[in-house]
């Protein structure tokens, strides 16, 4: 069987011409020959794309030429290359010499005003969206497998395109601080739960530095969970991102957050994270994450288990450690600190007087001292976790731990110790969080108002 696919071009309701796009033979003796194969469909898309772009260029040129002075003179034709999802399109762009009434002759190329960039937004969109989930090399392989893209496309090109788009998205980020009608930050008396509360968790992860191989830098990742809306994640480079506060505020704004809403921040007590939280909503409730607190007790419990093998007092110290944990669980920091201080004294007494000394007594004393300092620094963030737990309220950043995993670990290949530059990691975070929040197409529509403005389904309904 012989098939011929043709393209009919219409402009202003009038049919201009019909062009043959592709002719091919297809047998129907085997199921393997039914329909178009992937190579055939790629060939068809490439040919069709070339015809459509050429016709659009011709029509644009025909509309633009009457706007040029009649004294224009054709100078030459310059090659113009456009990279699309369906292959590279090569056009001839005419250049004209225009002599104004006063001044030197000027060279004008009308098609340059249409083709303002050499890669279509659709191509950039798919490249960056897939690169946010796969490695650059896997993105290239996938694009080449399913689409008739440029065979010279490589991982470096994908990385450069992602950085370019991320910088454009960053340049548009500008969010006003959350204020009330009078322009003042909302006071505590104005905070209400009528609009529903919001829980935000923040945690950090570490990536290996590309320039300083033996060092790491911190990536802050968080998740905002409103009562009645979908959760959204965010991320930024600690000490590198100059718009970190605006970035978090942008997430809250998209969730319809109001400065009169009740906000609960959960974190590990790091000072830099508290500064970020205070900037956004100074009257929010800040809670020390129970997960980070209880992990310190878990480490001490393991050391005390070793102590019981050489000292009979070790079992009693284990019980007192559980008692300190119980006091903190109920928000009694004073009593908890007293018990931890007693444990520190007992451990130091064992180090000085025990006939059979525990070989890891020094690390045990150090961890006890660090736990005491950690609790003292964050006393104002420790609440009655048992009461919150009974009422089904958040007490831990477990949901943020999973966010760190799918935002950072799964793409930045944390387990394989992949190395990143700060600029590259920042750009990837910008794109990846937008993709995970299903906002990436919206970002392209901000930059390109006509991006996916009309679909075939809409055209069919209009007809």
């Amino acid at each position: 069987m012989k098939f011929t696919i043709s393209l009919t071009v219409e402009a202003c309701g009038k049919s201009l011409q019909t062009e043959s796009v592709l002719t091919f033979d297809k047998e129907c003796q085997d199921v393997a020959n039914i329909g178009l194969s992937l190579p055939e469909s790629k060939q068809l898309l490439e040919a069709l794309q070339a015809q459509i772009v050429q016709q659009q260029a011709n029509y644009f040129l025909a509309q633009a030429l009457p706007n040029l002075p009649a004294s224009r003179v054709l100078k030459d034709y310059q090659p113009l290359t456009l990279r699309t999802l369906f292959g590279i399109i090569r056009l001839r762009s005419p250049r004209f010499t225009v002599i104004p009434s006063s001044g030197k002759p000027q060279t004008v190329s009308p098609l340059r005003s249409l083709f303002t960039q050499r890669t279509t937004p659709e191509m950039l969109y798919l490249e960056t969206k897939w690169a946010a989930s796969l490695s650059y090399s896997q993105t290239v392989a996938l694009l080449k497998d399913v689409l008739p893209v440029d065979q010279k496309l490589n991982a470096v090109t994908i990385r450069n395109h992602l950085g370019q788009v991320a910088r454009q998205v960053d340049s548009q980020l500008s969010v006003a601080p959350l204020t009330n009608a009078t322009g003042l930050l909302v006071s505590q008396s104005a905070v209400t739960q009528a609009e529903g509360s919001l829980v935000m968790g923040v945690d950090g992860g570490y990536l290996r530095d590309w320039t300083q191989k033996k060092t790491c830098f911190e990536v802050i990742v968080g998740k905002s969970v409103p009562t009645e809306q979908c959760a959204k994640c965010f991320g930024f480079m600690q000490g590198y991102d100059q718009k970190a506060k605006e970035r978090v505020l942008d997430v809250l704004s998209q969730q319809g957050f109001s400065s009169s809403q009740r906000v609960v921040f959960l974190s590990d007590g790091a000072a830099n994270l508290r500064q970020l939280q205070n900037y956004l909503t100074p009257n929010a409730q800040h809670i020390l994450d129970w997960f980070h607190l209880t992990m310190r007790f878990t480490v001490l419990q393991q050391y005390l288990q070793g102590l019981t093998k050489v000292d009979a007092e070790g079992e009693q110290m284990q019980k007192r450690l559980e008692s300190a944990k119980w006091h903190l669980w109920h928000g009694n920091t004073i009593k908890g600190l007293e018990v931890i201080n007693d444990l520190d004294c007992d451990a130091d007494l064992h180090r000085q007087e025990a006939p059979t000394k525990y070989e890891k007594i020094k690390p045990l004393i150090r961890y006890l001292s660090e736990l005491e300092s950690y609790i003292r620094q964050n006393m104002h963030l420790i609440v009655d976790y048992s009461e919150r737990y009974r009422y089904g309220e958040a007490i831990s950043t477990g949901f943020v731990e999973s966010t760190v995993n799918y935002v950072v670990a799964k793409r930045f290949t944390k387990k394989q110790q992949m190395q990143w530059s700060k600029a590259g990691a920042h750009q990837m975070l910008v794109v990846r969080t937008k993709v995970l929040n299903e906002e990436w197409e919206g970002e392209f529509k901000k930059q390109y108002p006509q991006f996916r403005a009309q679909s075939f389904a809409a055209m069919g309904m209009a007809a």
Side-chain angles (χ1 to χ4, degrees):
M1 301 176 65
K2 187 175 182 179
F3 295 88
T4 300
I5 297 177
S6 302
L7 175 68
T8 300
V9 183
E10 294 184 8
C12 300
K14 297 181 180 180
S15 178
L16 298 181
Q17 57 184 346
T18 301
E19 297 283 347
S20 176
V21 176
L22 191 65
T23 300
F24 58 93
D25 294 321
K26 288 289 291 185
E27 299 295 334
C28 56
Q29 306 300 323
D30 189 271
V31 68
N33 289 327
I34 299 299
L36 290 171
S37 65
L38 183 58
E40 289 168 342
S41 63
K42 290 165 71 173
Q43 183 182 2
L44 173 61
L45 285 172
E46 188 173 12
L48 187 61
Q49 181 82 314
Q51 287 276 17
I52 292 176
V53 173
Q54 183 63 64
Q55 294 297 333
Q56 288 177 311
N58 292 342
Y59 182 76
F60 180 85
L61 193 59
Q63 297 292 107
L65 286 180
N67 297 326
L68 295 179
S71 59
R72 65 180 182 273
V73 177
L74 179 63
K75 183 178 181 180
D76 57 17
Y77 288 90
Q78 289 290 318
L80 193 151
T81 302
L82 182 68
R83 293 175 175 83
T84 75
L85 278 176
F86 309 121
I88 290 184
I89 310 300
R90 293 179 172 83
L91 303 170
R92 296 177 68 213
S93 175
R95 295 198 304 168
F96 298 91
T97 300
V98 176
I99 304 177
S101 57
S102 62
K104 297 181 180 179
Q106 298 178 356
T107 300
V108 178
S109 180
L111 285 182
R112 298 287 176 177
S113 61
L114 175 62
F115 299 100
T116 55
Q117 58 190 54
R118 295 297 172 262
T119 304
T120 61
E122 194 75 39
M123 180 74 173
L124 291 174
Y125 171 77
L126 207 58
E127 284 180 356
T128 52
K129 183 179 179 180
W130 289 1
S133 302
L134 305 171
S135 69
Y136 296 125
S137 57
Q138 288 176 324
T139 301
V140 172
L142 182 58
L143 284 168
K144 289 183 178 179
D145 278 346
V146 300
L147 294 169
V149 297
D150 178 17
Q151 290 302 309
K152 293 182 180 180
L153 184 68
N154 55 52
V156 176
T157 301
I158 299 291
R159 185 187 65 193
N160 292 340
H161 286 172
L162 185 139
Q164 169 193 336
V165 177
R167 287 190 293 272
Q168 291 175 352
V169 171
D170 254 0
S171 65
Q172 297 179 350
L173 182 62
S174 178
V175 184
L178 293 173
T179 56
N180 59 10
T182 61
L184 301 176
L185 290 173
V186 177
S187 63
Q188 180 66 35
S189 60
V191 176
T192 176
Q193 299 185 33
E195 296 172 298
S197 61
L198 182 146
V199 177
M200 175 176 284
V202 185
D203 203 353
Y206 290 89
L207 300 177
R208 288 187 64 189
D209 197 322
W210 171 262
T211 55
Q212 301 178 9
K213 307 293 185 182
K214 295 183 180 180
T215 63
C216 297
F217 55 83
E218 188 176 16
V219 177
I220 303 299
V221 176
K223 194 172 188 177
S224 174
V225 187
T227 304
E228 300 177 351
Q229 295 186 34
C230 296
K232 289 184 180 293
C233 61
F234 58 87
F236 58 88
M237 300 293 306
Q238 180 66 21
Y240 178 85
D241 190 357
Q242 301 300 314
K243 295 184 177 181
K245 297 174 181 178
E246 292 85 348
R247 202 173 307 284
V248 180
L249 194 56
D250 180 54
V251 172
L252 295 177
S253 299
Q254 292 181 23
Q255 292 177 321
F257 174 74
S258 168
S259 49
S260 62
Q261 281 183 266
R262 176 174 176 264
V263 184
V264 177
F265 283 105
L266 292 163
S267 69
D268 61 359
N272 58 344
L273 298 182
R274 287 201 300 271
Q275 292 173 2
L276 170 66
Q277 297 161 0
N278 289 333
Y279 166 82
L280 296 175
T281 50
N283 299 306
Q285 182 181 13
H286 304 278
I287 298 177
L288 183 66
D289 171 36
W290 177 250
F291 171 78
H292 285 89
L293 186 58
T294 192
M295 282 300 295
R296 294 175 179 265
F297 281 92
T298 302
V299 173
L300 286 170
Q301 191 70 30
Q302 293 172 348
Y303 275 104
L304 289 177
Q305 286 178 358
L307 181 62
T308 57
K309 298 178 181 179
V310 297
D311 193 334
E313 291 294 324
E315 187 173 348
Q316 291 297 323
M317 293 177 69
Q318 280 186 294
K319 292 181 180 179
R320 277 185 285 169
L321 184 66
E322 285 295 323
S323 175
K325 185 178 179 180
W326 186 87
H327 286 303
L328 293 174
W329 172 251
H330 291 277
N332 192 345
T333 55
I334 302 298
K335 190 62 178 178
L337 282 172
E338 290 178 0
V339 176
I340 293 171
N341 188 53
D342 291 342
L343 285 171
D344 195 7
C345 293
D346 290 345
D348 188 59
L349 187 64
H350 171 88
R351 182 179 62 84
Q352 296 178 13
E353 300 180 358
T356 305
K357 292 183 173 56
Y358 180 41
E359 59 180 2
K360 294 185 178 180
I361 190 64
K362 289 184 178 180
L364 173 60
I365 294 173
R366 186 178 75 251
Y367 279 118
L368 282 168
S369 178
E370 289 177 354
L371 176 60
E372 182 181 4
S373 299
Y374 184 70
I375 294 173
R376 288 190 185 278
Q377 292 172 2
N378 296 286
M379 288 181 64
H380 60 295
L381 304 178
I382 296 176
V383 298
D384 189 339
Y385 297 100
S386 62
E387 184 179 5
R388 292 184 61 85
Y389 182 77
R390 284 196 300 271
Y391 285 97
E393 298 179 338
I395 61 172
S396 174
T397 57
F399 65 95
V400 183
E401 297 295 328
S402 63
T403 304
V404 173
N405 183 46
Y406 73 77
V407 172
V408 178
K410 288 189 176 180
R411 176 58 184 89
F412 290 82
T413 325
K414 201 165 131 185
K415 291 183 179 180
Q416 298 180 13
Q417 293 297 296
M418 186 174 179
Q419 298 174 350
W420 290 82
S421 68
K422 291 184 178 181
H426 166 72
Q427 293 162 1
M428 177 56 69
L429 274 175
V430 171
V431 177
R432 182 159 174 77
T433 52
K434 291 289 185 180
V435 170
L436 293 175
N437 291 337
E438 298 183 354
E439 300 169 354
W440 197 228
E441 184 174 336
E443 291 296 331
F444 268 75
K445 288 181 178 179
K446 291 179 184 177
Q447 298 181 39
Y448 309 99
Q450 295 300 315
F451 181 75
R452 296 184 175 180
Q454 190 177 30
S455 64
F456 285 110
M459 292 175 63
M461 292 174 60

